[in-house]
Amino acid sequence: MKKVNIDLCSWPNIALIKYWGKKSGQTPLNPSLSVNLNRAQTRFTGQISVHDQKKAQLRLNQFEDKLQKKLDEFSLQHSWVNQLLLELQSENNFPHSCGIASSASSMSAFAKVLAFSYQSFFDERPSMEQISSWARFFSGSACRSIEKGWFLWGQTELHANTSDFYSVKIDQIHPSFSQLCDTILIFDDSVKQLSSTEGHQLMENHPQKNQRRQRANERLEQLLKALAEGQTEKFCHLVEAEALDLHFLMMTGLRPYSLLSGLSLEMIKSMWKFREEQNLFITFTIDAGPNLHLIYPLKNQNMIQRWLADHPLKDSFTCFEDTLGEKF
Ligand code: PMV
């Protein structure tokens, strides 16, 4: 029986225009735009073989039941996976619930495992669009983590060849954004009160649903221009407005909730003051949690690290240091 060895990695991405809310079939309410992290990774190792059962069978060291369930759903459209026995281990090198979307890195890694199996057993190489679409099935934001770089997911007239089913690469990125650092301040690493799945669901009847879609589209248009032309101040403004919009949407739904902490807000205010005093390129974004991604160019790294080391809140957070984009 043919067996293939697996040793594959993928990485998380951080959304600067956020995907929040779905249309049918795991397609997004609005287009989103993200960039990859480099140091944080998920690695899948193990073996895959073809078996004569009628159902895909997964053996995994963690989240086996959850992923097997998703794989069973996936097999309804992709019957070829039923021939596979997947004996795998997965491992993240970054802390769980730290503000880095582990589902994007693990589910994009899993889609790469499926793509490798497809190629090994059926002699056909799936396209990048296919792999992205498979990743989207397992977790929406994972479709933006198939390759490194800046990726746009969601059909829009603002860019050529976009789709609700897979992400496309944005190539027009000004050198001002080619060496960005991402220092993640972890205030709280406990599991969130409300999962992203529940958050997306709450957008279905959200009173701001249409306005949200419009705001995201307007910001996307401006962000694409800022990225292409090197408008760093505009970039900072848009990225922050999007992060705060995500949390505003959580607080203004029919079932309001908040994942922010007082410390996240303290730190945001402190960063604004520091930026104004020093006249530096630094901004923040936040995903569905309290932890803050501080984003700034490599040339400002020493100054920002010194500011953090002396910060009055320094005992309230731990840092995970990463970089963004493919050129790092
Ligand atoms: O891919 P999901 O279902 O875990 O949703 C991700 C949602 C955000 O991380 C908050 C935003 C995004 O676009 O990544």
Side-chain angles (χ1 to χ4, degrees):
M1 189 167 55
K2 187 175 171 189
K3 270 192 179 198
V4 292
N5 290 325
I6 292 289
D7 190 348
L8 285 166
C9 279
S10 199
W11 42 83
N13 62 72
I14 181 70
L16 305 177
I17 301 290
K18 308 286 181 185
Y19 150 53
W20 201 237
K22 301 182 194 202
K23 295 186 295 194
S24 60
Q26 186 88 320
T27 58
L29 185 64
N30 59 270
S32 58
L33 188 148
S34 68
V35 59
N36 66 282
L37 276 69
N38 282 301
R39 196 183 134 214
Q41 286 197 344
T42 301
R43 183 169 176 205
F44 269 91
T45 51
Q47 285 189 324
I48 304 207
S49 48
V50 168
H51 66 174
D52 49 17
Q53 313 292 311
K54 292 199 167 48
K55 183 172 154 347
Q57 199 183 337
L58 178 69
R59 295 198 192 124
L60 185 62
N61 59 325
Q62 50 181 345
F63 309 117
E64 185 184 282
D65 293 348
K66 214 171 145 190
L67 193 53
Q68 177 73 58
K69 215 167 140 227
K70 287 294 257 178
L71 192 58
D72 293 346
E73 280 173 46
F74 183 80
S75 71
L76 300 175
Q77 304 280 329
H78 303 273
S79 56
W80 58 271
V81 295
N82 287 325
Q83 298 176 53
L84 302 181
L85 167 64
L86 304 106
E87 297 168 289
L88 302 169
Q89 292 84 45
S90 82
E91 197 189 328
N92 284 349
N93 69 352
F94 54 92
H96 190 63
S97 295
C98 68
I100 301 179
S102 57
S103 64
S105 63
S106 55
M107 293 302 98
S108 59
F110 189 63
K112 290 176 195 181
V113 168
L114 292 181
F116 185 76
S117 315
Y118 192 75
Q119 192 173 349
S120 307
F121 294 114
F122 309 108
D123 262 350
E124 205 183 312
R125 199 193 174 104
S127 65
M128 143 62 202
E129 288 81 9
Q130 263 171 312
I131 307 171
S132 171
S133 176
W134 295 352
R136 172 185 58 85
F137 177 86
F138 291 98
S139 172
S141 56
C143 79
R144 300 183 309 236
S145 273
I146 304 307
E147 289 175 7
K148 287 195 172 179
W150 301 74
F151 276 85
L152 199 171
W153 168 39
Q155 209 282 318
T156 168
E157 281 163 16
L158 299 171
H159 195 273
N161 305 323
T162 54
S163 168
D164 278 350
F165 300 102
Y166 51 82
S167 67
V168 296
K169 192 166 189 177
I170 306 293
D171 288 318
Q172 268 194 303
I173 304 292
H174 190 273
S176 309
F177 304 107
S178 62
Q179 287 203 310
L180 293 180
C181 301
D182 182 1
T183 298
I184 302 158
L185 306 186
I186 306 168
F187 295 107
D188 183 355
D189 58 6
S190 57
V191 174
K192 345 183 235 217
Q193 318 152 17
L194 217 85
S195 69
S196 297
T197 309
E198 291 165 302
H200 289 298
Q201 271 164 10
L202 288 171
M203 281 306 291
E204 272 166 37
N205 302 317
H206 199 294
Q208 284 272 324
K209 186 172 171 178
N210 293 333
Q211 293 96 320
R212 162 62 192 155
R213 197 189 284 131
Q214 196 178 335
R215 287 198 294 273
N217 277 291
E218 282 167 9
R219 290 196 194 114
L220 176 65
E221 181 168 18
Q222 294 175 46
L223 187 62
L224 287 169
K225 188 166 185 296
L227 285 171
E229 295 179 3
Q231 302 167 356
T232 55
E233 269 184 46
K234 188 83 187 166
F235 172 86
C236 295
H237 169 74
L238 292 164
V239 167
E240 291 173 21
E242 262 300 290
L244 295 172
D245 201 355
L246 174 70
H247 289 268
F248 163 82
L249 289 166
M250 293 177 193
M251 290 188 246
T252 54
L254 296 178
R255 204 184 125 207
Y257 66 106
S258 175
L259 301 178
L260 283 180
S261 81
L263 289 168
S264 349
L265 200 56
E266 273 304 296
M267 202 62 205
I268 290 171
K269 289 195 286 184
S270 164
M271 191 280 278
W272 282 332
K273 187 160 172 275
F274 172 68
R275 179 168 66 194
E276 193 152 328
E277 285 165 2
Q278 304 295 330
N279 194 23
L280 281 183
F281 171 8
I282 175 170
T283 189
F284 73 85
T285 187
I286 328 174
D287 252 355
N291 303 319
L292 222 60
H293 290 244
L294 291 178
I295 299 176
Y296 52 87
L298 182 63
K299 66 176 189 301
N300 295 344
Q301 190 177 38
N302 287 342
M303 214 171 155
I304 287 161
Q305 296 292 343
R306 275 202 304 275
W307 169 66
L308 286 173
D310 292 340
H311 201 280
L313 292 177
K314 66 174 188 296
D315 295 329
S316 312
F317 58 78
T318 53
C319 291
F320 184 87
E321 302 292 347
D322 214 321
T323 59
L324 301 177
E326 64 190 321
K327 301 225 169 85
F328 242 109

